Amino acid sequence: MVLAAVRLFHELGFISKFKIESRVLVRWLITVQRNYRKVPYHNWRHAFNVAHNMYCLLTTCEMGSTFSDLECLGMFVGCICHDLDHRGTNNAFQEKSGSALALLYGSQNTMEQHHFNHAVMILNSEGHNILKNLSSSQYSTTMNILKHSILATDLSMYFQIRAMFFPLIASGDYSFAKDEHRELLRSLMMTACDLGASCKPWDIQLRVVKSVTSEFFDQGDLEKQTLNITPPALMDRDRKHELPKLQMRWIKDICLPLYENLSKINPRIVVLKDTAYRNMIRWSNLAASQDSGTQDLDEIPDEAIPEG
């Protein structure tokens, strides 16, 4: 994945445009990889997958022409760094447990602030600054975009941003020429990439959901054992039978509206909406089969779940 990430930097033209030294890039990527913890989901593989999703949006969907080179660079680096040093627990857990991170950053974008600061720390380490050949104004612009991109991956931010973005699309008032509108679009593209597993073929979707669920259940166990509270259904191992219904609602309420509105900006994105919809139907079918007494999710082979 490190080698593939180097190739993506090449394909996007960042190495030539911004004079990124190959040794510095490889050193930076390896250090970033090592600063992702070995948790079930929010790990280096997830970071690479999110970056690859952004690469596809910028190239295959031709969204790269919508933004400046610096905007593309900031978003792409943001994807790679957006979950640095993730501990496998979310913002709510940091607040409820009174963690050191919550005390340091407060309850607003707790983990995302940490991810950004961790990214800055790596960039500032000797021999790791892939942005060192940018001018001072370019550097400042890119770092602002990087910070904004990482903070945008907080799901609470997504709800705030979509409340502004969706009405612009519905009214036809969205304009690529307005900086504030492009900023909203950049934020939603980060979310679209972060949630991109919902748009993958079913076998990948199922595998990713099992990884996410494993991490969530670990947090739920911590909440029961250390905080003596009942975790949300999605994180409660004792309610794992509810997972198909929860996944169906997740795609319906969170993912589909996002991809549907982005596809109105760019029709090429409709493939993401269509695949997410098919996955939602399969989760619905699985929920129905479980209601009829079918075995647990872990016991069902991928091909046994009807597409509908």
Side-chain angles (χ1 to χ4, degrees):
M1 285 185 288
V2 168
L3 292 175
V6 172
R7 179 61 181 267
L8 296 185
F9 269 89
H10 272 288
E11 293 284 338
L12 290 167
F14 295 151
I15 292 178
S16 58
K17 290 174 184 174
F18 302 113
K19 298 180 174 60
I20 301 175
E21 298 174 14
S22 295
R23 291 177 65 86
V24 174
L25 177 60
V26 172
R27 186 182 298 118
W28 175 77
L29 282 168
I30 291 174
T31 301
V32 166
Q33 178 192 40
R34 290 174 176 172
N35 277 267
Y36 274 92
R37 300 193 181 198
K38 293 182 179 180
V39 293
Y41 178 67
H42 289 100
N43 49 40
W44 163 244
R45 180 175 293 277
H46 169 65
F48 175 81
N49 287 337
V50 173
H52 183 259
N53 290 338
M54 179 62 74
Y55 166 81
C56 292
L57 285 179
L58 295 176
T59 57
T60 304
C61 294
E62 299 182 6
M63 291 296 289
S65 60
T66 302
F67 302 100
S68 69
D69 291 338
L70 291 177
E71 286 176 306
C72 293
L73 177 65
M75 286 190 292
F76 187 73
V77 173
C79 287
I80 292 177
C81 297
H82 82 284
D83 274 330
L84 271 169
D85 196 42
H86 200 291
R87 285 90 188 280
T89 50
N90 63 13
N91 286 338
F93 182 85
Q94 309 308 318
E95 184 177 4
K96 287 184 286 190
S97 64
S99 70
L101 293 180
L103 295 175
L104 179 62
Y105 299 112
S107 59
Q108 186 78 19
N109 313 125
T110 305
M111 290 303 301
E112 289 73 26
Q113 290 189 65
H114 179 61
H115 303 323
F116 171 70
N117 286 340
H118 212 84
V120 173
M121 179 196 71
I122 295 174
L123 282 170
N124 288 337
S125 300
E126 184 177 355
H128 288 75
N129 194 350
I130 59 173
L131 308 177
K132 68 177 182 178
N133 289 323
L134 273 60
S135 68
S136 58
S137 62
Q138 288 178 322
Y139 191 88
S140 176
T141 297
T142 303
M143 292 304 292
N144 283 332
I145 293 170
L146 174 62
K147 181 176 184 178
H148 185 273
S149 297
I150 292 177
L151 294 183
T153 60
D154 182 350
L155 203 59
S156 66
M157 293 292 294
Y158 162 64
F159 288 110
Q160 296 176 34
I161 293 165
R162 85 178 204 174
M164 295 182 280
F165 184 83
F166 289 5
L168 287 174
I169 299 301
S171 64
D173 292 332
Y174 179 86
S175 172
F176 289 108
K178 293 184 178 180
D179 290 342
E180 62 270 25
H181 288 188
R182 280 211 322 281
E183 185 174 292
L184 294 175
L185 179 57
R186 290 201 311 267
S187 296
L188 291 185
M189 284 176 62
M190 290 296 299
T191 304
C193 294
D194 199 15
L195 306 183
S198 64
C199 307
K200 301 295 183 182
W202 174 252
D203 59 328
I204 298 174
Q205 153 79 169
L206 184 59
R207 193 160 66 243
V208 172
V209 167
K210 289 180 179 180
S211 297
V212 175
T213 303
S214 174
E215 188 172 296
F216 281 178
F217 284 168
D218 288 345
Q219 176 176 322
D221 293 343
L222 276 177
E223 293 186 359
K224 291 177 182 177
Q225 297 162 8
T226 63
L227 303 180
N228 197 30
I229 61 175
T230 301
L234 196 59
M235 297 182 175
D236 193 342
R237 199 180 298 274
D238 295 332
R239 299 174 67 180
K240 65 179 181 178
H241 58 282
E242 298 180 35
L243 177 62
K245 289 182 180 178
L246 293 171
Q247 284 299 319
M248 177 185 65
R249 291 171 187 162
W250 167 263
I251 295 177
K252 179 181 178 182
D253 298 335
I254 308 297
C255 304
L256 276 178
L258 171 61
Y259 297 118
E260 181 177 0
N261 277 272
L262 288 178
S263 66
K264 293 176 182 177
I265 285 282
N266 184 335
R268 295 179 182 86
I269 298 177
V270 74
V271 65
L272 302 181
K273 183 195 74 171
D274 291 345
T275 310
Y277 178 79
R278 287 195 296 270
N279 286 333
M280 181 188 71
I281 295 301
R282 297 187 84 155
W283 284 117
S284 177
N285 291 338
L286 178 56
S289 68
Q290 286 187 317
D291 289 341
S292 301
T294 307
Q295 67 267 43
D296 288 340
L297 175 64
D298 290 339
E299 301 173 358
I300 301 176
D302 299 348
E303 64 274 9
I305 304 173
E307 184 172 356

